Amino acid sequence: MKLGIVGLPNVGKSTLFNSLTKAGAESANYPFCTIDPNVGVVAVPDERLSLLGDLYHSKKVTPAVIEFVDIAGLVKGASKGEGLGNQFLSHIREVDAIVHVVRCFEDSNVIHVDGSVDPLRDIETIDLELIFSDLEILERRLSKTSKSVFNDKSLAKEAALLKSLKAHLEEGKAARTFVCADEDESAILSGLNLLTYKPVIFAANVGEDDLADDGASNPHVQKVREFAAETGSQVFVICAQIEQEIAELDEDEKAMFLEDLGLSSSGLEKLIAASYDLLGLLSFLTSGEDETRAWTIRKGTKAPQAAGKIHSDFERGFIRAEVVNYKDLLDCGSYAAARDKGLVRLEGKDYVVQDGDVILFRFNV
């Protein structure tokens, strides 16, 4: 999973990126990998892995990972080349979802680029830049398709969709709110790779005092939540400054610090939960003496396709899946004990994999 972190200057975007990547690296003992100065790969914190690793005395424990991209240079006029402009836009086209950091705190020492704190105005500023960029893509595609229609009548439907979508964007609406008539139109829209078609998670960046009640008493946060509800987006409340402090602590100190603040989870954990939910993802697990590992798949994935995440041969030669819920396995103390109690199920090609399944795939090629 690849998430792009965006936001106007001085909203806490880079502070959040730095704290998330550092916290993620330390919490799961996963080596933080810098691909370039603005890209970090972090482990998905998952207590199930360490517990299963201990049960099997695994030589290696491999978590699922998320790649965060800190997109710099987004200001008003980015679509026309202001700031880092098009460099920013090319980076964000590769992500699965956008994490939009919105300033919801008042602080006279931190200047806002527009002079005042107004999250809905900030959201609109960035949305418009993404829409302008999408319109350029659409206009080029429409010009090319319209010329080709004369020789290939099958392109008429695509041309009509592009015109309707262009009109939709020109009204200031995101592509993800466009209603397709059928699956063919949905497939065309998905293939355009538009920025405003990507799902969005809003990170409402608040002051420390607003953390305990999850921003319920912060009017800025309420506005963001109302906007997100209208557009089918996710929201999580975070204090980037606190996250930076948490990132410096070890696991025991972090737990105490969160408890003192009245919090049950860190910003990284909130973000991962929101992104998994928004993208419809879950993790199944494999465990043994050599390795315990988490594998990320989409909800609704059947056993053979889940096996294919491990190796294409597993899917091609799929025979069956031996499945046990991780809680049942841990409670029984061993795979053999779980099997003796009838908790290990034999599942076929139509089995839909569930979150927390520990699976042993049988295959033959």
Side-chain angles (χ1 to χ4, degrees):
M1 179 162 50
K2 192 172 184 178
L3 303 178
I5 302 179
V6 306
L8 291 172
N10 294 338
V11 298
K13 178 173 59 70
S14 293
T15 302
L16 176 60
F17 171 80
N18 291 335
S19 62
L20 288 180
T21 50
K22 185 173 177 61
E26 292 189 351
S27 66
N29 195 28
Y30 185 85
F32 171 51
C33 169
T34 303
I35 296 170
D36 68 35
N38 296 327
V39 180
V41 177
V42 302
V44 174
D46 192 337
E47 184 188 28
R48 300 174 301 189
L49 286 177
S50 57
L51 294 173
L52 286 171
D54 290 342
L55 178 67
Y56 278 90
H57 305 293
S58 302
K59 296 172 185 173
K60 187 165 75 167
V61 174
T62 307
V65 296
I66 294 180
E67 186 173 313
F68 288 106
V69 186
D70 182 22
I71 314 281
L74 187 61
V75 293
K76 193 176 291 185
S79 61
K80 302 299 181 187
E82 295 295 327
L84 292 182
N86 294 327
Q87 181 183 337
F88 151 79
L89 296 168
S90 66
H91 284 165
I92 202 173
R93 287 201 189 278
E94 307 307 316
V95 303
D96 298 306
I98 295 170
V99 180
H100 185 162
V101 183
V102 186
R103 178 170 168 177
C104 294
F105 66 89
E106 303 281 353
D107 187 340
S108 58
N109 295 317
V110 182
I111 304 299
H112 191 286
V113 67
D114 286 326
S116 62
V117 177
D118 184 344
L120 295 188
R121 179 200 58 213
D122 294 355
I123 289 170
E124 182 182 26
T125 297
I126 285 186
D127 278 355
L128 283 174
E129 293 309 316
L130 302 184
I131 286 171
F132 291 149
S133 178
D134 282 350
L135 278 170
E136 286 184 20
I137 296 286
L138 273 185
E139 284 164 2
R140 288 199 296 270
R141 179 74 171 255
L142 183 56
S143 175
K144 183 179 178 182
T145 304
S146 298
K147 291 174 185 175
S148 302
V149 165
F150 294 107
N151 299 319
D152 186 351
K153 298 301 180 186
S154 66
L155 292 173
K157 185 169 187 173
E158 180 179 330
L161 172 67
L162 293 174
K163 287 177 184 175
S164 298
L165 185 56
K166 182 171 177 285
H168 181 83
L169 291 175
E170 286 173 341
E171 292 176 2
K173 299 174 183 175
R176 61 184 165 272
T177 65
F178 183 82
V179 179
C180 293
D182 52 37
E183 290 184 7
D184 289 341
E185 286 194 354
S186 294
I188 294 169
L189 178 53
S190 297
L192 294 172
N193 199 24
L194 298 177
L195 299 175
T196 61
Y197 189 62
K198 296 181 184 297
V200 175
I201 304 166
F202 291 105
N205 189 15
V206 300
E208 181 180 340
D209 294 341
D210 288 324
L211 271 181
D213 68 353
D214 202 34
S217 57
N218 183 315
H220 297 312
V221 174
Q222 296 315 306
K223 288 179 182 178
V224 175
R225 284 189 167 132
E226 288 166 11
F227 180 82
E230 292 170 5
T231 57
S233 301
Q234 292 273 0
V235 180
F236 75 103
V237 173
I238 195 168
C239 175
Q241 203 60 49
I242 290 294
E243 287 302 314
Q244 197 168 39
E245 293 179 33
I246 290 174
E248 304 296 330
L249 305 174
D250 63 29
E251 281 303 300
D252 290 339
E253 290 175 325
K254 185 174 82 169
M256 291 173 59
F257 188 64
L258 288 171
E259 188 178 344
D260 289 343
L261 291 171
L263 302 176
S264 58
S265 56
S266 68
L268 175 63
E269 290 161 337
K270 286 183 184 178
L271 174 53
I272 288 170
S275 55
Y276 267 62
D277 186 47
L278 185 67
L279 294 171
L281 303 175
L282 59 83
S283 293
F284 74 90
L285 313 162
T286 55
S287 196
E289 189 177 324
D290 287 336
E291 183 181 35
T292 290
R293 182 164 181 165
W295 304 87
T296 302
I297 56 172
R298 293 197 177 279
K299 291 177 182 175
T301 299
K302 293 185 177 180
Q305 288 69 51
K309 287 286 289 186
I310 301 173
H311 197 286
S312 58
D313 284 350
F314 284 28
E315 181 176 0
R316 190 159 53 92
F318 178 87
I319 299 173
R320 66 176 182 271
E322 298 180 10
V323 184
V324 57
N325 179 270
Y326 84 97
K327 286 182 181 176
D328 291 337
L329 180 56
L330 291 170
D331 288 344
C332 290
S334 72
Y335 186 84
R339 187 174 52 207
D340 291 343
K341 289 186 177 182
L343 296 173
V344 177
R345 310 184 311 276
L346 301 183
E347 301 288 0
K349 293 182 177 180
D350 292 330
Y351 176 69
V352 177
V353 176
Q354 302 299 307
D355 188 61
D357 279 348
V358 181
I359 306 180
L360 175 63
F361 292 106
R362 299 294 186 185
F363 70 103
N364 182 36
V365 290

